[in-house]
Amino acid sequence: MASPQPTAQSTLDNLEARWGERWEHDGTYRFDRTHDRGEIYSVDTPPPTVSGSLHVGHVFSYTHTDTIARFQRMRGRAVFYPMGWDDNGLPTERRVENYFGVRCDPSVAYQEGFVSPAKPAAKRQDYIAISRRNFIELCERLTETDEKVFEQVWRLLGLSVDWSLTYSTVSARSQRVSQRAFLRNLARGEAYSSEAPCLWDITFQTAVAQAELEDRDRPGAYHDLRFAGTGGHGDVVGDVIIATTRPELVVSCVALVAHPDDERYQSLFGSSVRTPVFGVEVPVLAHHRAEPDKGTGIAMVCTFGDLADVMWWRELELDTRAVIGKTGRLDAETPSWLTTEPAQAAYARLAGKTIFAAQREMVELLRDSGDLLGEPRPITHAVKFYEKGDRPLEIVTTRQWYIRNGGRSPELRAELIARGKELDWHPDHMRHRYENWVEGLNGDWLVSRQRFFGVPIPLWYRLDGEGCPDYEHPIVPDEAALPIDPQSHVPPGYTAQQRDQPGGFTGEPDIMDTWATSSLTPQIACGWEDDPDLFARTFPMDLRPQGHDIIRTWLFSTVVRSHYEYGSLPWQHVALSGWILDPDRKKMAKSRGNVVVPTEMLEQYGADAVRYWAASARPGIDTAFDPSQMKIGRRLAVKVLNACKFAFGLPPARADAAVTEAIDRAMLAQLATLIDDATRAFDNYDYARALQATEEFFWRFCDDYLELVKVRAYQDGPDSGSARAALRIAVSVLLRLFAPFLPYVTEEAWSWAQTDDGPLLGFTAGSIHRASWPDGAELRSVALLDGDPSVLFIAADVLRQIRKAKSDAKRSVRAEATSVTVIDSGPRIAAVQAVLADLRSAGNVRQLTTVELTNGGEATVDVQLPETESVAP
RNA sequence: GGGCGCAUAGCUCAGCGGUAGAGCGCUCGCCUUACAAGCGAGAGGUCGCAGGUUCGACACCUGCUGCGCCCACCA
């Protein structure tokens, strides 16, 4: 065994910088693409959104993935572990706007060499309007610097990614993949465009998808409104009272709907009533989705107040009377269906107003007309919001692009649920969220966004003689020409002069939703079409790590795209990480202001310590941010260095030294079991259990085994070789078991060995992270372990009794015991006999005797300490 | 309304048919030739509640309670 190097250190100082540089230089984590698919382990790393800074939650979940990647690498797999940057989409746009004080206005001309203001304007409305091209240039500039910062954090944390594989979702290659996949969806009829009501965010001026919605409780009020009967269907027809939270939408009312079995409204079905204030005649209809318990049991259907309205509008084939536009204001022009002078006058008071203002005005109108019964009754109700927005969504009819996802097809839905069942979920119960989501889909996936920074939808439309686009037959680019921007590229067979001219063409203005591109990360990372050889070796991938909050978005959409393109899953395993909660158990989020900056944490505790904290959390479990766990991790890391310093400081073992002593063999037998446990846990993606088992063994190893054999290993006796050989094996194995969690200290200690013992038991040259994962069966076979593991437990028990006696007497642990008598059953006495010398030296016992119990009796350890001399009070 | 998860020591969490575990915190000790940023010892729990299965239940089953999350067309 080598003597300790002069550089051997027992602190964590500077390990990250030193080894980080070395790993980069040696290409320790470089992917070797010469392997076949079966020898490769490929990871579909989540590309973090590059719009600000990483936070503790990132550090947490990416560590989980890294432990698995490191385990697989040590198991001999060629690990394909890329990093991606999600620098495409709304978060980036927002950050660029605020960072530079600009906003994108497609009507503004491009400005060569645009320089942003030194300091952004204080108010959003004062931001400088710039062209789309200028805006995108700023997006690219900012994401580039953000990505450098992110990479530094990941390197410091010790992620074993191959940085040569890095991709970004807005790169030309990603755009090509995204557009190609979309065009193939289109060609197969999986993508289509449609003019239809969709959820619209009036702040961001874009349509949003079902997966991006969230409910928020908002105050509202029921307004009881009277609809006047029109008569003409018999004298029983009278007034109808409806309750609504959206009185401003009375002008958009197209029907009243009640349940077919609701006795209160039976006589009204088939008749019509007049809307208050406007006097528009609307039918009273029956539909089974109306709920007698809600409001007055009869609903005002408007185009469109909520998704229920859309459903009734579609199923009952109602008129369309929309007045709310994309800006969230009521149309300035008087709607055509208001034919009477009083109705037009009333609308004039609403025209052009925001929804909020229009509601106040409308309530006044209703009050004046006497159609508002009583006062509005305040309630709290759930309202749909875009998850990134802060104003309620409206429903606006627009032309949008969709990808079929089963929302309108039970057959497709069943196929996608079946895909979910094929997938190995870690933890398993997370599969319910997937099934829940797919079963609850109520429409196809809306992928077009009316934004600027993203992947353009690669289509043009022919314009007829009047300049109207032919949306049914888009002009499709050749795949070889991708990526294209229909706003600047000209379709084949046209000239630039024909853009937006009658008889010419127009480019699709929309971009794709960010999920439409990130749903293709396996294709992007694995080089779909661009590098068929790489693709064949890495796809379908092995692992998708991600947060459980994006099952409905990222996970599901990736499954959809792969299902279409390959008829298979994109990966076999998905590992879900939980969230980091602050100490109050709230989700840590930038908006809450409770975010801890990862770099500070890494500097304060060290990367290994932070990784220890992260890896202690069971897969999928939300975990409180807890610096005390990092302190424990730091302690563990220091302890590993110190234990190794001790082991390497011993005189070298002879090359042929055999493990002969019972206690040494017992320790190795336990070690073999530990290897089995840790390996099984890792194979099941339970890194936390592997860490816990290893850590538990390690502390016992230090406290008991090391103490027991220390003296024997130091001295040059006939049985010293056994202890030294066993220690060497144990240190080598433990370092490797810890390596996925504590890459820095294990690498440091591994470097002290300086020799190459061969792959099985000892140390191998080069990085520990390229060493082979230990194998319990091999350890047993090579070390010929017929050892009885209980010998170590029994010896540790007796040692504990000796320590307790000294502790009770307030003596030092090293204080001499004049005599110790172990009284116990036969087998245990035999074990004690086998380790007598070690027990005597570890306990500093002058005379150790054993007494075998017969006929029951109590097992005890009797410890005699010398009389104390004068003890000062 | 539907689904999922959780409930074990003061705190954070393991365990899971066979006499309740770890770390932190707390108490009392100890300079011990790897480690005082360390080491040793100790106190502390009717394992949410109620039934059931079993020779035996913290663990398995049923119901309940509380907390959290996911989903839902929320007039």
Side-chain angles (χ1 to χ4, degrees):
Chain A
M1 211 178 271
S3 2
Q5 291 178 263
T7 55
Q9 61 180 70
S10 52
T11 69
L12 307 178
D13 298 342
N14 207 36
L15 287 180
E16 289 93 345
R18 201 143 51 79
W19 288 111
E21 209 169 290
R22 182 68 177 274
W23 293 333
E24 173 64 21
H25 176 266
D26 292 352
T28 307
Y29 307 123
R30 205 168 296 146
F31 172 61
D32 178 358
R33 63 181 290 170
T34 62
H35 288 84
D36 293 332
R37 182 66 193 87
E39 299 162 347
I40 286 169
Y41 187 84
S42 58
V43 181
D44 186 17
T45 314
T49 302
V50 183
S51 62
S53 52
L54 292 167
H55 65 81
V56 188
H58 288 110
V59 167
F60 181 69
S61 56
Y62 282 75
T63 298
H64 299 163
T65 309
D66 189 59
T67 62
I68 291 165
R70 287 178 180 277
F71 166 71
Q72 294 289 351
R73 192 178 293 110
M74 293 177 77
R75 285 220 106 181
R77 308 283 284 275
V79 175
F80 180 74
Y81 186 16
M83 181 58 65
W85 308 122
D86 191 11
D87 40 17
N88 144 32
L90 208 41
T92 303
E93 282 191 32
R94 276 301 230 209
R95 175 157 156 77
V96 165
E97 288 169 358
N98 296 329
Y99 189 90
F100 294 108
V102 297
R103 62 187 170 81
C104 181
D105 182 346
S107 67
V108 172
Y110 178 68
Q111 198 184 331
E112 193 78 46
F114 170 77
V115 179
S116 60
K119 202 173 160 226
K123 290 179 180 169
R124 273 188 79 77
Q125 58 260 41
D126 298 332
Y127 285 0
I128 298 168
I130 59 173
S131 71
R132 174 162 158 162
R133 195 169 144 197
N134 282 119
F135 188 77
I136 288 172
E137 283 175 3
L138 290 181
C139 288
E140 285 165 350
R141 199 210 296 175
L142 188 58
T143 53
E144 201 175 307
T145 44
D146 282 348
E147 282 158 19
K148 288 208 181 82
V149 174
F150 276 33
E151 182 177 333
Q152 287 311 308
V153 177
W154 285 152
R155 282 181 182 274
L156 181 57
L157 182 63
L159 295 191
S160 61
V161 309
D162 179 346
W163 289 98
S164 71
L165 304 172
T166 304
Y167 66 87
S168 96
T169 57
V170 83
S171 68
R173 196 163 65 80
S174 296
Q175 299 212 18
R176 186 160 63 239
V177 167
S178 183
Q179 293 187 335
R180 186 194 300 130
F182 175 81
L183 290 175
R184 294 202 183 173
N185 290 141
L186 177 64
R188 289 189 296 255
E190 294 146 4
Y192 64 93
S193 78
S194 163
E195 171 114 9
C198 64
L199 288 157
W200 183 269
D201 187 287
I202 59 177
T203 306
F204 292 98
Q205 288 288 297
T206 185
V208 300
Q210 186 184 355
E212 298 167 291
L213 306 184
E214 67 182 33
D215 287 353
R216 293 182 202 160
D217 284 334
R218 280 291 176 276
Y222 274 135
H223 299 71
D224 290 335
L225 308 186
R226 179 171 58 205
F227 281 58
T230 55
H233 286 274
D235 50 4
V236 292
V237 176
D239 295 348
V240 181
I241 310 302
I242 63 102
T244 180
T245 57
R246 303 285 307 262
E248 72 279 15
L249 288 177
V250 166
V251 66
S252 290
C253 179
V254 289
L256 300 188
V257 172
H259 194 274
D261 300 336
D262 194 327
E263 290 181 5
R264 292 169 294 178
Y265 303 108
Q266 289 287 327
S267 61
L268 284 169
F269 294 139
S271 74
S272 57
V273 293
R274 286 192 186 282
T275 61
V277 177
F278 302 106
V280 174
E281 191 171 328
V282 295
V284 180
L285 302 170
H287 193 277
H288 65 279
R289 298 289 280 274
E291 293 180 35
D293 298 341
K294 276 185 189 154
T296 57
I298 186 162
M300 172 175 83
V301 182
C302 307
T303 52
F304 300 94
D306 62 22
L307 292 174
D309 286 344
V310 177
M311 181 266 299
W312 279 317
W313 169 79
R314 192 178 289 130
E315 296 199 3
L316 299 171
E317 300 182 328
L318 302 172
D319 291 340
T320 306
R321 292 180 190 142
V323 293
I324 295 177
K326 294 178 179 176
T327 58
R329 287 173 184 272
L330 271 62
D331 281 349
E333 284 181 31
T334 305
S336 59
W337 58 90
L338 300 184
T339 50
T340 68
E341 196 276 324
Q344 292 168 350
Y347 188 80
R349 289 173 60 182
L350 308 177
K353 285 201 155 57
T354 63
I355 289 160
F356 179 75
Q359 181 176 109
R360 277 209 315 223
E361 195 66 35
M362 188 65 202
V363 169
E364 286 308 307
L365 285 164
L366 287 161
R367 229 188 274 279
D368 295 348
S369 72
D371 293 315
L372 175 65
L373 306 182
E375 282 303 301
R377 310 192 306 279
I379 56 160
T380 298
H381 62 156
V383 178
K384 289 212 181 300
F385 281 72
Y386 173 39
E387 59 189 358
K388 297 186 173 70
D390 47 16
R391 290 157 85 183
L393 292 171
E394 292 302 329
I395 295 173
V396 176
T397 298
T398 52
R399 175 161 295 278
Q400 300 288 346
W401 280 93
Y402 297 85
I403 291 178
R404 297 179 204 279
N405 66 356
R408 300 200 185 290
S409 158
E411 295 75 24
L412 178 55
R413 195 153 50 214
E415 287 171 31
L416 291 168
I417 286 174
R419 288 276 175 242
K421 290 189 196 299
E422 288 173 40
L423 190 55
D424 291 322
W425 297 76
H426 307 285
D428 189 70
H429 69 256
M430 288 291 179
R431 66 174 65 251
H432 296 288
R433 300 202 181 186
Y434 176 91
E435 287 172 12
N436 236 318
W437 173 252
V438 180
E439 281 159 4
L441 287 168
N442 57 25
D444 283 328
W445 175 20
L446 199 168
V447 294
S448 46
R449 293 292 182 276
Q450 291 66 55
R451 299 297 306 179
F452 319 105
F453 187 58
V455 179
I457 293 176
L459 298 172
W460 302 270
Y461 307 101
R462 292 177 189 84
L463 297 177
D464 64 16
E466 319 254 281
C468 288
D470 176 8
Y471 290 115
E472 298 309 309
H473 307 93
I475 306 169
V476 174
D478 193 89
E479 277 192 8
L482 301 178
I484 64 125
D485 178 2
Q487 292 297 310
S488 56
H489 292 90
V490 174
Y494 289 84
T495 64
Q497 285 69 38
Q498 288 175 281
R499 183 181 294 275
D500 297 328
Q501 299 300 316
F505 73 95
T506 188
E508 165 66 54
D510 290 355
I511 60 169
M512 284 189 252
D513 172 37
T514 186
W515 294 116
T517 299
S518 49
S519 61
L520 299 163
T521 50
Q523 287 87 325
I524 294 168
C526 299
W528 179 47
E529 299 275 303
D530 296 325
D531 189 343
D533 175 74
L534 178 68
F535 194 73
R537 291 173 198 273
T538 52
F539 186 91
M541 304 182 84
D542 291 277
L543 175 65
R544 155 61 70 85
Q546 63 162 77
H548 57 60
D549 53 328
I550 51 175
I551 289 172
R552 67 180 187 173
T553 49
W554 195 34
L555 191 150
F556 175 59
S557 62
T558 311
V559 169
V560 169
R561 304 309 282 282
S562 180
H563 177 73
Y564 280 144
E565 199 60 44
Y566 315 103
S568 79
L569 281 174
W571 0 255
Q572 189 51 50
H573 297 271
V574 58
L576 285 317
S577 284
W579 276 334
I580 288 309
L581 311 173
D582 69 11
D584 300 332
R585 302 207 69 82
K586 295 272 185 342
K587 185 192 174 188
M588 216 176 243
K590 232 182 300 180
S591 57
R592 295 181 197 275
N594 57 4
V595 170
V596 175
V597 180
T599 43
E600 288 173 11
M601 192 171 79
L602 287 164
E603 276 161 26
Q604 187 175 353
Y605 300 101
D608 284 339
V610 172
R611 292 173 61 101
Y612 169 87
W613 158 74
S616 302
R618 282 266 172 319
I621 305 293
D622 293 348
T623 303
F625 176 74
D626 187 0
S628 70
Q629 278 296 109
M630 293 177 202
K631 285 184 194 152
I632 296 163
R634 191 176 172 82
R635 211 176 57 132
L636 173 65
V638 171
K639 188 84 171 178
V640 167
L641 284 181
N642 277 312
C644 290
K645 200 168 90 180
F646 165 74
F648 289 122
L650 294 170
R654 287 193 316 276
D656 60 345
V659 181
T660 53
E661 295 302 297
I663 189 165
D664 301 333
R665 298 168 80 90
M667 185 275 291
L668 290 182
Q670 291 183 21
L671 185 63
T673 305
L674 167 68
I675 296 170
D676 294 343
D677 290 348
T679 307
R680 201 179 310 114
F682 255 128
D683 277 336
N684 202 28
Y685 289 81
D686 195 346
Y687 48 82
R689 182 188 280 267
L691 171 58
Q692 192 189 330
T694 306
E695 185 191 10
E696 197 182 307
F697 182 97
F698 175 69
W699 284 107
R700 277 198 300 106
F701 172 81
C702 290
D703 294 347
D704 298 337
Y705 178 76
L706 233 46
E707 293 297 331
L708 280 161
V709 306
K710 199 187 257 184
V711 172
R712 176 157 55 93
Y714 267 134
Q715 294 168 346
D716 268 319
D719 40 16
S720 297
S722 173
R724 292 173 196 167
L727 271 169
R728 184 174 184 78
I729 292 170
V731 166
S732 159
V733 167
L734 285 169
L735 281 176
R736 281 178 286 160
L737 293 181
F738 273 131
F741 307 103
L742 312 172
Y744 290 106
V745 289
T746 53
E747 185 75 304
E748 172 69 19
W750 190 261
S751 75
W752 298 343
Q754 276 192 319
T755 56
D756 195 334
D757 295 348
L760 291 184
L761 300 178
F763 296 84
T764 46
S767 171
I768 189 173
H769 303 300
R770 284 283 179 188
S772 65
W773 186 256
D775 183 296
E778 275 178 1
L779 174 57
R780 287 188 194 90
S781 68
V782 173
L784 294 172
L785 294 183
D786 50 2
D788 175 2
S790 70
V791 171
L792 177 53
F793 292 128
I794 294 164
D797 277 350
V798 174
L799 181 59
R800 221 177 304 283
Q801 295 295 320
I802 298 171
R803 286 168 178 162
K804 179 169 163 53
K806 293 178 183 176
S807 180
D808 288 349
K810 308 201 177 202
R811 304 286 180 86
S812 156
V813 180
R814 285 304 302 158
E816 189 189 53
T818 44
S819 91
V820 171
T821 311
V822 181
I823 306 168
D824 213 325
S825 62
R828 288 176 65 91
I829 288 300
V832 172
Q833 287 289 350
V835 296
L836 214 56
D838 288 340
L839 269 174
R840 281 192 55 206
S841 57
N844 195 13
V845 179
R846 198 182 300 162
Q847 189 177 4
L848 201 159
T849 49
T850 58
V851 176
E852 187 173 331
L853 267 176
T854 50
N855 306 330
E858 202 178 343
T860 56
V861 177
D862 182 51
V863 181
Q864 297 293 323
L865 300 176
E867 293 300 319
T868 40
E869 319 82 62
S870 59
V871 177

